[in-house]
Amino acid sequence: MSELRAQVVATAQALFAAAPDWPAIVAAGFPLLLVPESAGGFGGDWGDAFAVLQVAGAEALAQPLAEAMLAAHLIARAGVVAPHGLVTIGSGGGTIRAGKFTGHVAAVPWGRVAAQVVATIETNAAEPVLLLLPAGAVTEGASPAGEPRDRLDYRGVPAVRLGDADHALYGAFLRVGQSAGALGAALGLATAHVNARVQFGKPLAKLQAVQQSLAVLAEEVAAVQMAGAAAAAALDRSGGAYEMMAAKLRTNMAIHRGVALAHQVHGAIGFTQDYPLHRLTRRLMGWRSDFGGDSWAEMLGEQALSERGAGLWADMVRRGDG
Amino acid sequence: MTAVFALPPHVPPPGTAALRSEIRSFIAANLPAGDAVSRANSWSVADAGFSRALGAAGWLGMVWPRAWGGHERPAMDRYVVLEELLAAGAPVGAHWIADRQTGPLLLRYGTDAQRQKYLPGMARGEVYACIGLSEPGAGSDLAAVRSRAEKVPGGWRINGQKLWTSGAHRAHAMLALLRSEAGSERGAGLSQFLIDLDTPGITIRPVINLTGEHDFNELFFDDVMVGDDALVGGQGNGWAQVTAELALERSGPERYLSSHALLVTLIDAARASGSENAALRATIGKLVAELWTLRQMSMATAAKLAGGEDPVVEAAIVKDLGNDFEQRLPLAVQAVLDLDLDGSTELVRVLSHLLQVSPSFSLRGGTREILRGIIARGLGLR
Ligand SMILES: Cc1cc2nc3c(=O)[nH]c(=O)nc-3n(C[C@H](O)[C@H](O)[C@H](O)COP(=O)(O)OP(=O)(O)OC[C@H]3O[C@@H](n4cnc5c(N)ncnc54)[C@H](O)[C@@H]3O)c2cc1C
């Protein structure tokens, strides 16, 4: 880990553990992590973002950091001057006439408090467009973890075009980062719990069935951490679409298997409001659907089927060889 | 946050693409025409001609010193060559054990005389080895080994039995774990011996596996006399040496690439028959995601090993996830395609083969439960 990254991670750890409000996170500069220094940002790379979001995931940070980070990156990438206030991210549909947008954006994280929204919008055209939109008319909703997921409606508002509508891919990658942290933290809680909880006269940790369950959970944590780190490395080399899709898919599998195991070894205590496991697992379960869930599989599969079988391997290794 | 796999992704160095095309040209020129079933069985299929060709081209003993017939290449170059051979389903079974673990173990613990005797032939693809660990009473519980080596003037007298020895009928030597101290218990008093299989007193009998193939064997030692020079490493140091050997055995790309031919054949068959559909695409996409992740984990683990560290827990994780992936692969194919399993097409033959042999993946090289026990120890639970 570079010295800079180690520093950023240490700052994140100290801040996120204290359940900071949004202004504190802004003051520490985290939303601008992926904005180049030339555009007034922090100039971090994808590896830095992955590392910071792992901390956010592990601390169950209840703030739209990943969304704001990505929105700021996409705005800077398009060469547009960053707006003030929280910019979050979403997808929707509608029409654009003379630069004015009429339509909606669905399930926007923290939409109710956003000053602006970066949104991928389906129109009648073949390709969706990426727009920067102002605040809209809010219909409140909630994610499984109880975080704001709001619908925003628009009628003839000014919209700024931002370029390629590929935000879902990057969003998927950022969820991998959060998931790697959260699943790792769930493993940490589970390990501590089975060491402390006594049944049959000994700690649960001494029961082989429990040990084997935690070994599998550890394997899934390892898979997500590796997939995320490798996707970040691919992004930092250039490209990375294939790797982001693969990492999100693998993460979804790991959440499926891992969350169940984390809860299983906890017994009933893990099912309570007081015990902190749900802060990790409810988010994890919801993240599986965010920014393209298993739907990425069809795209990766289609890519594989577009070439002869031997091409699958050649294509996979070519990306890393440089 | 708990991390048991805190490894950075391995970034192949410049020149890797060139190396890859070199080994691919070799494979294209030398791969015997064979059914996909053979390609789906890659590192169990022995082809001495192919092994010798690999050796002649410098693709064996790649990291060993030149003095012993090696080529002094970086360990991760060897990794690239291995993954290309496996992805192509090349018949690497004859030399696999010697190149993977017996040779490296001799380099680490052997004498110069032992190295001179075995390594050049191994690097030429002419001398093959087998793994003499399991016995009737010692499977997962390897420390229960009872076959014994008794010190006699000028050498050792060996008695006992090894079991499940893959390729013993083709190998020239067995690296055997034996009890060298009478009355010793468990891991103490064990030593490793490299025993030429043409030594009088050795009987090798086939154990036919469930598909009817002869792959593993039982091997009997009856008053087999070997010289002092058969002892490898320290007398009584066998347990520690075997642990090092198992890390070599468990960390390679064969733990997730051994049945890659099924995926290749599935894609080719789907394209040829136009049986593409959403479920098939999604299934392949998920398998690709797993394959890609496993490759990243396997490379990172191999890079740690190449750096001189011992990635015991990481290797166990890669092997267990890889085995699980390869065991689900044929089931995933069954889930998306209705096929008559009548042996009439290549896809059906590969699928039928893997449906039968895949249960062994989580047995050979350490069972699923033993691997998970190693991971649990890494978590501090035992
Ligand atoms: C195809 C194939 C090739 C092989 N090639 C070789 C070879 O070349 N050389 C060689 O030496 N060996 C070889 N083996 C043997 C292999 O290493 C053993 O099969 C393996 O170590 C398990 O031993 P076992 O078969 O005696 O099963 P057992 O040890 O009897 O185990 C049976 C079941 O009980 C479980 N079990 C055992 N102990 C525990 C425990 N403490 N906790 C929880 N569960 C437990 C196991 O995980 C397994 O599921 C090969 C095996 C196969 C299938």
Side-chain angles (χ1 to χ4, degrees), chain A residues 301 304-310 312, chain B residues 262-272 276 284 288 347:
Chain A
L305 282 159
S306 70
E307 298 175 67
R308 288 182 47 238
L312 172 70
Chain B
L262 178 59
L263 209 43
V264 174
T265 316
L266 171 66
I267 291 172
D268 287 339
R271 282 162 55 88
E276 269 183 49
I284 291 177
V288 168
L347 176 60

Side-chain angles (χ1 to χ4, degrees), chain B residues 32-187:
Chain B
D35 197 74
V37 173
S38 155
R39 293 197 291 282
N41 217 7
S42 174
W43 57 286
S44 299
V45 177
D47 179 335
F50 187 78
S51 291
R52 278 195 297 270
L54 271 174
W59 300 121
L60 296 181
M62 280 179 69
V63 301
W64 306 350
R66 282 185 213 287
W68 313 119
H71 306 280
E72 302 187 3
R73 315 245 332 214
M76 293 311 285
D77 277 11
R78 175 170 177 269
Y79 187 90
V80 169
V81 169
L82 292 189
E83 59 176 13
E84 287 300 322
L85 287 167
L86 293 167
V92 293
H95 66 266
W96 193 254
I97 306 294
D99 182 69
R100 177 180 73 186
Q101 62 198 81
T102 322
L105 213 77
L106 282 182
L107 279 173
R108 188 154 164 190
Y109 297 109
T111 62
D112 278 359
Q114 287 168 333
R115 293 170 182 155
Q116 184 57 53
K117 179 175 172 193
Y118 292 102
L119 293 179
M122 287 177 171
R124 285 195 306 272
E126 291 171 0
V127 173
Y128 313 133
C130 60
I131 307 169
L133 297 176
S134 306
E135 297 183 1
S140 299
D141 186 14
L142 186 56
V145 155
R146 279 176 45 199
S147 294
R148 61 193 190 279
E150 221 181 308
K151 189 75 194 86
V152 292
W156 299 84
R157 180 189 297 127
I158 298 172
N159 280 288
Q161 179 187 358
K162 291 293 173 183
L163 188 56
W164 317 125
T165 320
S166 301
H169 53 306
R170 299 181 295 256
H172 301 91
M174 166 185 269
L175 187 62
L177 184 67
L178 303 173
R179 198 157 289 287
S180 55
E181 206 177 297
S184 64
E185 293 282 341
R186 311 295 301 161

Side-chain angles (χ1 to χ4, degrees), chain A residues 208 212, chain B residues 44 97 130-142 162-167 174 209 215-216 249-250 359-370 382:
Chain A
Q208 194 188 43
Q212 302 253 317
Chain B
S44 299
I97 306 294
C130 60
I131 307 169
L133 297 176
S134 306
E135 297 183 1
S140 299
D141 186 14
L142 186 56
K162 291 293 173 183
L163 188 56
W164 317 125
T165 320
S166 301
M174 166 185 269
N209 74 16
D215 190 18
F216 49 30
E249 181 172 345
R250 287 173 182 157
S360 73
F361 297 170
S362 53
L363 298 173
R364 63 185 187 187
T367 70
R368 167 181 302 134
E369 290 74 19
I370 294 302
R382 47 188 295 255

